[in-house]
Amino acid sequence: MNKTQMGFLETGSEMGQLISSTDWSDSSLGSISEWPHSLINTLNICLNSRFPMLIQWGKDFVTFYNDASLKILGAKHPESLGLPSKYVWPEIWHDLGPTLESVYEEGQAVYSEDKFFLYKRYDYLEEGYFTLSHSPIYKGENKVGGVLCTITETTDHVVTERQLKTLHELGEQSMLAKNVQGVCDRIMDVLKENDKDFPFSLLCLVDEDHKRTRCVESVRLPENSPSNPSHIDLLGETSDPEWPIQEVLRSNQAILLKDIKSRFGELSGGAWNQPPNWAYLLPVVCPGSDKACGCLIVGLNPHYPFDDKYRNFLEFAVEEVASAILNARNYEEEKKRAQMLASIDRTKNDFINSISHEFRTPLMLIRNPLEDILSRGKESDKDKNIKIAYRNSLRLQNLVDALLDFSRIEENRIQPNYQLTDLSVYTSELASNFVSVIKQAGIDFEIERTEVSEPVYIDREMWEKIIYNLILNAFKFTFKGYIRVEVQEEEHAVKVLIKDSGVGIPESEQQKIFERFYRVAGTKARSDEGSGIGLPLAKELVEYHKGRIEVESKVGLGSTFTVVIPKGMTHLPENHIQRSEEKSGTADVNMFVEEMKQLVDPEGKHIEEAETAYAEGKPHILVVDDNRDMLNYMCRLLSESFNVSTAYNGRKALEFIELHHPDLILTDIVMPEVDGYELLHHLKTDPETAHIPVVAVSAQAGEKEKIKGFEAGFDSYLVKPFSGRELVALVSSIMATKKTRSEAESFLHELFLNSPTAIAVLHGSDHIFTMANPMFRRILRTPKEDLRGRSIRNTLSDANKEIVVDLLDDVYKHGVPFVGDEFPLTISRSGKKRKAYFNFVAQPIKREKEQVTDIMVQAYEITEQVQARKEIDRFFAISLDILCISDGRRIKKISPSVEKVLGFSQEEMLEQPLQEFIHPEDVELTMQHIEELRKDYPISYFENRFLTKDGSYKWIGWMTSKAKDEGLDYAVGRDITTKKEQEQKKNEFINMASHELKTPMTSLKAFTQLLQRQLKSGGDDKVQHLLSRMNSQIDNLSELIEDLLSVTRLESGKLELNKKEFDICKLVDEVVEDLQATLKAPGKKHQIIVKGVKEKKVYADRYRIKQVLSNFLTNAIKYSPEADKVIVEITEEENSLTVAVQDFGMGIPKKNHNKVFEKFYRIHELERPDDDFSSLGLGLYISAEIIRRHSGRIWAESEEGEGSTFYFSIPDKRQ
Amino acid sequence: MKEKKILVVDDNEDILLATSLILESAGYSVETSQKLDPVKKITPSTAPQLILLDMFLNGGNGTEITRKLKSQDSTCQIPIILVSGHGNVEKSAEQCGADAFLYKPFGMDQLLAVVERLIVN
């Protein structure tokens, strides 16, 4: 290779020079002149490029590089030139080698972006990112001579992106900050994510007292190790290795801590295998503050130089952390402040509320007595009124004073005036004011005077109030035993003890009693009034002396209040100390004494004027109030119109009520022991007293209190102060209402008790009986028990419990009534379990808004009815005959047997019109029968053809009856088709036979008559007589045949009427004439007499009516052989005509009057089996059928031995 | 005076005999037949004064021929008495236009009364 070819090495590049100055002759490549063209060419490009490039030549990948690559090679230059690549980059050869090999072998270029290498540029392994292109360098055909590598380092870019992401996420936390702990959690979560820049981290916050730091969160540090302590003391010294946080906080500067390995051992490297040996400690300085509030400790990336970039990044991060913490703190404080403001507000409201109540009672007791004096001026009451007003003005003043004291204390306006005082002497003096009043109450009052060596500085006015209030307090809670005041001296202080043997204070309440308006609930006390202000005031006043007040107490044994006042004056502000002894206190001791007097046993003289003599007829009222004045005042107001009794607290009221039942109770709400609500509860839960109206009289005037009162069950709520007239009017109106109500109530109660329906009222979700009438108790089989107060659950047998309780629960929950129809319950009756049925309603009663409070249950036992119906149902089910109930037109109920008989199912028949099932030819007949039922015939039988499912008809014989009041027809139908068919055949036969008989009869009759006529002339009387008998027998015979025919026609329904209008009188004459002719024969003597109407048109079948007439007349003659006349009478009525045929024969026994019209009935058949009477017994039956088909009536009247009259009557007009 | 001729039709020989005896005894001349043929063949010139006809004959229905005779101008004047032993046929006898109806068995007087009434009219 000549020099010119190598000219590119001489262009002034550092690497060109180095290559040309290097002696390559011992290398694997040989001297430069021997290098292949492809290498030379590539080198030429490479060395001239400003872009970092490497050439790795040959299978050892001998390394060449250009000037631009020097930065990437770092300390590897210049030794790397000409070295095989695996010696240049041993630390990454495991990664780089295979890439080079594959390019070399396969001749394919490889490209990788931002490829990560832990790469030793200098003396340590460095985190580096590179975008690389490895391309083959061909020497000759298809032969790769080496690899050309083009490199861009992207480390900065990758790291910056990562760090920006972390900063961004930290920034987000500060927006979400709600509380400090929460925000720290989240900050550290972000740091944990970035395990490359923060191999480990620890966040410490300085406590509020600045005495130590709390390590709030750590990432990848072992728990409870020196590297991750729970806190770090800022004041003390420890020998344990520690993070130098104090230093950071003090200097407000970040510290780079090297060699942490020797301090804490190996710590976590996060993403790195190598533990960090450096840590950076950054102060967390909240914006707007110049003092660090904490410290962030970060383990440093061991593979990255700790340069300005890394440091800046950490500083940015800690700024984000600080601002997130600050935001959280601000948020927390804001919230706390808001809560505090709300709480202050509430306290103030409570205070104003309470104090106003306190004012009301005395104010009213001043105002009302004064009003009384002004308006009525009853002399005898005047003194009392003035006394009450005076007493209450003192009380009011006491309250106002206390209030003022508080307000001054609160605003710091109090000007104490400390004077040197012998506490023992002064305290005794103050206490002695109470000796007489306390002794009056029967309590020992001891004042123990002890010599005190040294006077102390006190404000005497304050001291008075302290002592008075403590004694008053002791008095309120002490009912027997003693109250003792002691003074004791200690080295630095004087102690005053006020001991009592009163009710004591539970431990849980002992601190609260010094809170304003706190009252120990439910304790026995003389009065609740005014308390709640004395002790807190005393406490505040003691604190002005830099002393303290304490209480020791055991419930039931008593309490000791101790006031400790320090000796000397150094603890007091100089300017308030008065050295000379000037004035004593000004507090009005009378006020306290008066108040105590009020508290003294009220059953004594204070009630003297209250109760009046009991007067008959006046309503009785009980007044309950713990304020004596109030009690007296109300008593006096009411005693004119009512009998008044008093009780000075709830317990006394209950004792009273056990003995008497007043008509009305007026009660205060706030009272010691048993308060108004408790009293009310007792009254309303006892059924004996639940009806007594109770009126609350209270100083609690707010809307809320009133509502609470009404909700609790007070009948009315009177707010103090009230005027006298208001009270009297209210009580009078309640009494009036009560009177009417009690009358109505007792009436209702009576109804309830005697109701035949079982009624019960169940209260609450447990369904407790509040009422159950005797009928209800009978159902439950507990007639004697008072169920009230018991749950229905416990009164039911197991068999019924679940189902009944479930449904009651449902009614209670949803407020929807439950209606049980024929509800089955198992009930034991005379020892046996039986099913009983009830109709009942469970009706929810809503007393308050939408909530069900009670359920009224009404039940009616219907077991018998259900039983009866079931019996009928069973008959219906098993009957082979068709049982059918209809309303005359439609089928209402039908037995399943119908399906067997007719093929129709029950459903197909129900509610269908009857007519549709009846053969058209039988409809009229059927309707006639139904019509007859309507006319009082109890039972009727008829037969008709009924449609079957296949369209044919079946004969059904019906027995029917009618329930007139229900409008229902009951019918039992039997399939008589077979019988009918047989009958039909028989009838056809008879029909045929009789017809066949008639033909010879016709000739026979004609011949007989002809013979008779011919012989007439011959004059043989004997033969003549025989022929006449023969003729008459032929007539009999044809009559019999005709009867038979008629019957068969009737029964096969073939008797058709041929109705026309004709004169019935003429018909009668005709029949009589015909008959009379036959009676001319010897031995026949009957005369037929026709009476009555002479002309009467009727619309009927002439032939059939004639048949009836003949029958009647023939019978009349036949059955009166001894008589000589028969009378026919025709009478006319409105719309009808009656024909009567009277004979004077033997008559018919009464019992047979109706039987004569039955088929085959024969009169006297046994008595007179005479030929003369022989007949088929069909005549009257046929007559009856004919008349019936004319919608007429047929009947007989008869007296045995005197004769009979047969009647028929038919309508005279076409219908 | 013209001869009063009566045509009697019945499928029973005995009845024919008895009826003609009765009618002849009253002075009528009687022609009898067991079949309907003579009735069917009636012309104005051969017409009898009256026809006594059994309603149900083997050879045909008495009501039908009655209705036919009554519907023809030439024969509608001839009185017709229908006779039957069956019950409940009175109505159909009237409907077909017969002048009278007799149930079997009828009496001598009864028959003569009806015949006399119809011929006189």
Side-chain angles (χ1 to χ4, degrees), chain B residues 78-96:
Chain B
I78 307 167
I80 301 171
I81 301 171
L82 285 176
V83 182
S84 179
H86 291 276
N88 265 5
V89 291
E90 199 180 356
K91 208 171 182 174
S92 48
E94 273 172 30
Q95 278 166 356
C96 72

Side-chain angles (χ1 to χ4, degrees), chain A residues 141 308 411 443 484 804 964 982 1074 1104 1107:
Chain A
E141 312 162 20
D308 283 353
E411 290 172 35
I443 292 164
R484 188 180 301 144
V804 173
K964 237 182 173 182
Q982 285 167 356
D1074 280 358
R1104 295 297 169 193
Q1107 215 176 332

